[in-house]
Amino acid sequence: NAGVTQTPKFQVLKTGQSMTLQCAQDMNHEYMSWYRQDPGMGLRLIHYSVGAGITDQGEVPNGYNVSRSTTEDFPLRLLSAAPSQTSVYFCASIKPGSNEQFFGPGTRLTVL
Amino acid sequence: SQQGEEDPQALSIQEGENATMNCSYKTSINNLQWYRQNSGRGLVHLILIRSNEREKHSGRLRVTLDTSKKSSSLLITASRAADTASYFCATGWGWYTQGGKLIFGQGTELSVKP
C-alpha cells in the first residue's frame, strides 16, 4: 500500500491564481482531512470528509474548497491564492473505528 | 483557537536521558493522541489514549492522561538521536461519526544529542 499520497510536493503561485492540491489514499478509509501547518501554529484543520459526497468545514476553511467524489481522492482547491495561504498542507485519512490519522508527505505552497 | 498547548516548546537532551513533554487542553475530550514529525515529513501516529484511561505504554513511550487537570504527558525513555523530531498532541471528541476533528497543539521540538 502507498498509504496517503499528495501532489505536488512543492508549488509556487502568484496572488490570484487558483490550483488544486491532490490527495489520494489506498486504504479504503472513509474519513479524510486537510490541514495546514504554519510555524508556531501547529496544524489547523481546513476541511474534512466523512465519506464520498460528504464534506464539512474545519477551523480555517475560508479560501478553500473541497469535494469528495470517490473514497480514494480528496482534492483541496485554492480559489484565488493569497500570500496568507503560504503554508505546508497535509492530507490525512482516518483509520476506521478510531481517530488515528495517517498523514501524507505534505505540499509546500508559496504564494507570491 | 488551539485546543492543546504544549510545554516545553523546545527540549534538548543527551542520548540515554528521558524526555518529558506536556500537553494541556481546554475542553472535554474522549481521546488524546501523540504524533511525531521528522523535519520536512508528515506526521506519524505514536499512541492514542482514551478519556477513561490514565496511562498507556508503547515500547519506550509512556503517556499519561489526567482529565481533571485537562493535561497529558509523553515520556520517552532512554532517548536516541533518532528520536529528534517535533512531537504534537492532538485532542479529539466523537468517534466514528466525527471522523477527522482532531485539534493539534503547537508541538515540542525535541533534540537528542549523541
Side-chain angles (χ1 to χ4, degrees), chain A residues 14-32:
Chain A
K14 294 181 180 178
T15 296
Q17 287 185 315
S18 62
M19 79 160 294
T20 299
L21 307 185
Q22 301 293 343
C23 173
Q25 52 93 8
D26 62 359
M27 297 174 281
N28 202 33
H29 290 168
E30 291 187 44
Y31 302 91
M32 298 183 73

Side-chain angles (χ1 to χ4, degrees), chain A residues 40, chain B residues 6-11 21-22 85-87 106-110:
Chain B
E6 298 181 56
D7 172 59
Q9 290 188 329
L11 180 61
M21 288 158 268
N22 302 297
S86 293
Y87 292 81
Q106 296 169 335
T108 293
E109 282 191 35
L110 174 64

